[in-house]
Amino acid sequence: MIDPGPRLAAREVEVRTLPDKAYLRMTLVLRVGLVGSLLILAGGLAAYLAENPSTSAAAEVNSNPTLQYLSVPGLASGLLAGSAEAYLTLGLLVLVATPLVRVISGLYYFQAGHERAMTAITFTVVVLLLVGLLVLGPLLR
């Protein structure tokens, strides 16, 4: 039998893993985002139902009461006015932003760990998410 010695050593690949604190922080981003959005949505829904007790689901879907709060000035003025629809919109925005923030935090940790392949893949995912949200989303509205 031939000893593979040096050739086997050349084939070994260094496997790097993210530090435990990176995984903990990325998990924390998801948990805080999910719980925060659910609390905002629950509060907004309770306020909306209290303000509009006799409204039907079909009427609300057709009128889309959150549409006026999809701009920064509209959302800010709605939140300051205490509008339930503005809080529902905020809850949805937090829910949508949570995975994006998690992927961006992954990008940071891969870049800091000098993991080029994972950095490139994660950067591609961030770009695709942003194109979907900021370009395709408004086109399909």
Side-chain angles (χ1 to χ4, degrees), residues 110 114-123:
F110 289 133
H114 305 290
E115 297 188 34
R116 291 184 182 145
M118 290 305 294
T119 300
I121 291 168
T122 308
F123 179 75

Side-chain angles (χ1 to χ4, degrees), residues 3 7 10 18 25 45 52 74 76 83 89 93 95 97-98 109 111 114 122 132:
D3 179 24
R7 286 197 297 173
L18 290 176
R25 288 180 180 165
L45 183 60
N52 306 295
S83 168
T89 305
L93 290 173
L95 187 64
T98 298
Y109 285 115
Q111 177 65 30
H114 305 290
T122 308

Side-chain angles (χ1 to χ4, degrees), residues 56-95:
S56 70
E60 292 306 315
V61 169
N62 290 333
S63 69
N64 193 1
T66 62
L67 192 58
Q68 62 186 338
Y69 301 110
L70 289 179
S71 67
V72 174
L75 182 61
S77 65
L79 292 173
L80 290 174
S83 168
E85 293 91 345
Y87 281 95
L88 287 170
T89 305
L90 178 65
L92 291 173
L93 290 173
V94 171
L95 187 64

Side-chain angles (χ1 to χ4, degrees), residues 30-52:
L30 288 175
R31 287 183 181 159
V32 168
L34 179 62
V35 170
S37 67
L38 290 176
L39 289 173
I40 294 167
L41 284 168
L45 183 60
Y48 186 79
L49 292 174
E51 290 175 5
N52 306 295

